[in-house]
Amino acid sequence: MKPTNRVKRIEGVLSPVITPFRKDYSPDAERFVAHCRWLLRSGCAGLAVFGTNSEANSLSVSEKKQLLEKLVAGGVSPAQLMPGTGHCALTDSIELTRAAVEMGCAGVLMLPPFYYKGVSDEGLYRNFAEIIERVGDERLQLYLYHIPPVSQVAISLPLIERLITKYPGIVAGVKDSSGDWSNTKAMLDAFAKTGFDVFAGSETFLLDNMRHGGKGCITATGNINPGPIANVYKYWRTADADKLQAGITATRKIVQKQPMIPALKSAVAHFGNDPQWRTCRPALVELNPSQEKELIGELKANGFSMPGLV
Amino acid sequence: MKPTNRVKRIEGVLSPVITPFRKDYSPDAERFVAHCRWLLRSGCAGLAVFGTNSEANSLSVSEKKQLLEKLVAGGVSPAQLMPGTGHCALTDSIELTRAAVEMGCAGVLMLPPFYYKGVSDEGLYRNFAEIIERVGDERLQLYLYHIPPVSQVAISLPLIERLITKYPGIVAGVKDSSGDWSNTKAMLDAFAKTGFDVFAGSETFLLDNMRHGGKGCITATGNINPGPIANVYKYWRTADADKLQAGITATRKIVQKQPMIPALKSAVAHFGNDPQWRTCRPALVELNPSQEKELIGELKANGFSMPGLV
């Protein structure tokens, strides 16, 4: 496969965009597009729509395809998109990956199939290889999504090695949401020099990741704090870097005291003065009033704001 | 909702039917129908197609709908079907549940949404309630599927109580695949007398389940050993019951030494003389030759057979 038609790889801060729902739990494309545009104006280099924080696994493939189409119709460039396309079902992963590549998305972020536990690297290799072969498109740039605390199915270093050996260029990188810096470091040490792009799964590790050859981060709190996080990426080589990192880590610590996804939605609802944003699709539930009060109070006390949201 | 149009509830032994694949991993409807018909001839009261052992979570909704249609077209009565219809995505669960009810299936066996971990009973309640309300069909009989070792999301007793209070008759029972008899016993003690049907998730607990007011079992090994398991159900009140139970437990122990789903497929491939049955969809992989040799050798040494399969 020729790499000539590939979109330039995204580097920097990506937001796994939260998905707004109407009261009947249907996805609200208008609010979704507006939030995506705000994120790009505010410092995000790209949008990892349909990530864990997007409640992507509470959405059907057809709902995700429709949102992707609305996003591009709404003026977001596919070159800034890295949608999540990994599902339990091989055929679902193929369908959404193909759609993303055909739309010209810069990449896809792919979960392993996550229902069956204790699966082998051989089985996971077959899954990713089958998707790549079936999509059969030289433009595909696939980022592996390692998030064992949620998926319970891990992406091991030997699996990465086998995939990049077989599919160089196509298997383009990884998002490491293990929460374990030593694992991210091991991925960087083993593969960064070969052109494999490692993204930290939390801005907590952004500066460390940049200092060891990483390419940025894909982080939940990118949904509400994109500007300051993007500044760490932008200024990581400067003397201010550690101070900037301490600032975004402090904000992260406030947010992650609450259940993450409803907390992000509460923040957007509050600072954007738009209560509908609080709705989560079951089995997730919105923050209760006391959780939200604590979250917003602590954010304000820390000087937090979301400039340009309203 | 009037209960008058409901199909008679299934009681006895149900098999979570394994799904055959072609070499290209597409579902093989012809082999699927043939295996279902053999199971019903061999003692199964019903078929819990699209269960964990069916690799159902490796199949898309449309693949499952097509298999269901082929099954009915192939002569299997919907009154003997309890398809699995629970997905991560609310909209997927609604779509397949509606299709099953409209086809006249006796029930549906429903996983909770299983990607997000640590969710609340409130969130799970909203999920099941939303599905029931949206399907909006008086014929629906919903069996909750409790399998925390795989789904990592549990169905608690307070959640069951809340659901059967709100939706009596519709929330018809549970499959308990916790592997913990004390949990099954607690479900029986709390709800069996109110007309809530408890199925053990393994034949290991079949006799105990019957002696405490349960209605049967839905078990992986029902795929290969349906006759002897059905005999425990049939003769559970007789003096032979414990001996019959010991026999099926011994077979179970042999099979579960290997990875369960590929082991079931190897057994059907071997005893049915049909190698294609070995294929699993990624991320599952078939048994290796030494695993299969051990499995088949031990089954034969134990006098195991699959009468009428070929």
Side-chain angles (χ1 to χ4, degrees), chain B residues 167-183:
Chain B
Y167 301 108
I170 289 178
V171 178
V174 70
K175 175 186 179 186
D176 183 6
S177 294
S178 64
D180 172 8
W181 167 248
S182 70
N183 187 68

Side-chain angles (χ1 to χ4, degrees), chain A residues 24-25 52 55-60 63 88-89 91-92 114-117 123 126 130 134 150 281 283 286, chain B residues 24-25 52 55-60 63 88-89 91-92 114-117 123 126 130 134 150 281 283 286:
Chain A
D24 68 357
Y25 301 126
T52 296
E55 298 170 75
N57 292 302
S58 302
L59 296 167
S60 69
E63 287 172 324
C88 290
T91 33
D92 285 340
F114 52 82
Y115 181 69
Y116 297 99
K117 309 302 189 292
R126 288 184 194 179
E130 191 70 16
R134 294 283 185 94
V150 185
R281 209 174 236 202
E286 66 286 352
Chain B
D24 67 358
Y25 301 127
T52 297
E55 297 170 76
N57 291 302
S58 303
L59 297 168
S60 69
E63 287 173 324
C88 289
T91 32
D92 285 341
F114 51 83
Y115 182 69
Y116 297 99
K117 309 303 189 292
R126 288 185 195 179
E130 192 70 17
R134 294 285 186 92
V150 185
R281 209 176 237 204
E286 66 285 352

Side-chain angles (χ1 to χ4, degrees), chain B residues 82-201:
Chain B
M82 189 192 287
T85 63
H87 298 81
C88 289
L90 179 69
T91 32
D92 285 341
S93 299
I94 292 168
E95 182 181 348
L96 191 58
T97 303
R98 186 178 286 145
V101 172
E102 284 174 359
M103 289 177 74
C105 292
V108 300
L109 181 57
M110 198 173 288
L111 277 170
F114 51 83
Y115 182 69
Y116 297 99
K117 309 303 189 292
V119 295
S120 63
D121 273 6
E122 170 63 23
L124 292 172
Y125 176 82
R126 288 185 195 179
N127 170 75
F128 290 115
E130 192 70 17
I131 294 166
I132 292 168
E133 300 284 352
R134 294 285 186 92
V135 170
D137 194 311
E138 66 191 35
R139 294 169 295 176
L140 175 61
Q141 297 187 114
L142 188 157
Y143 296 79
L144 300 161
Y145 187 7
H146 178 61
I147 182 169
V150 185
S151 65
Q152 307 277 327
V153 175
I155 310 283
S156 73
L157 269 66
L159 174 62
I160 295 173
E161 182 155 29
R162 191 172 167 195
L163 284 167
I164 57 181
T165 301
K166 176 77 177 180
Y167 301 108
I170 289 178
V171 178
V174 70
K175 175 186 179 186
D176 183 6
S177 294
S178 64
D180 172 8
W181 167 248
S182 70
N183 187 68
T184 311
K185 179 74 166 43
M187 288 176 169
L188 288 162
D189 291 346
F191 308 118
K193 283 179 185 162
T194 68
F196 183 77
D197 293 350
V198 177
F199 290 87

Side-chain angles (χ1 to χ4, degrees), chain B residues 29-77:
Chain B
E30 196 181 332
R31 278 181 171 80
F32 184 62
V33 173
H35 188 58
C36 285
R37 294 175 63 102
W38 178 77
L39 290 168
L40 292 171
R41 281 200 308 275
S42 304
C44 284
L47 304 173
V49 297
F50 316 145
T52 297
N53 290 286
S54 315
E55 297 170 76
N57 291 302
S58 303
L59 297 168
S60 69
V61 172
S62 66
E63 287 173 324
K64 285 181 260 200
K65 283 167 84 170
Q66 282 170 32
L67 284 174
L68 213 48
E69 284 159 13
K70 294 273 191 180
L71 208 51
V72 175
V76 172
S77 167

Side-chain angles (χ1 to χ4, degrees), chain B residues 229-249:
Chain B
I229 301 173
N231 279 340
V232 173
Y233 175 77
K234 196 171 170 184
Y235 300 115
W236 74 268
R237 292 175 191 273
T238 71
D240 283 343
D242 286 289
K243 195 179 158 196
L244 292 170
Q245 176 68 53
I248 63 173
T249 298

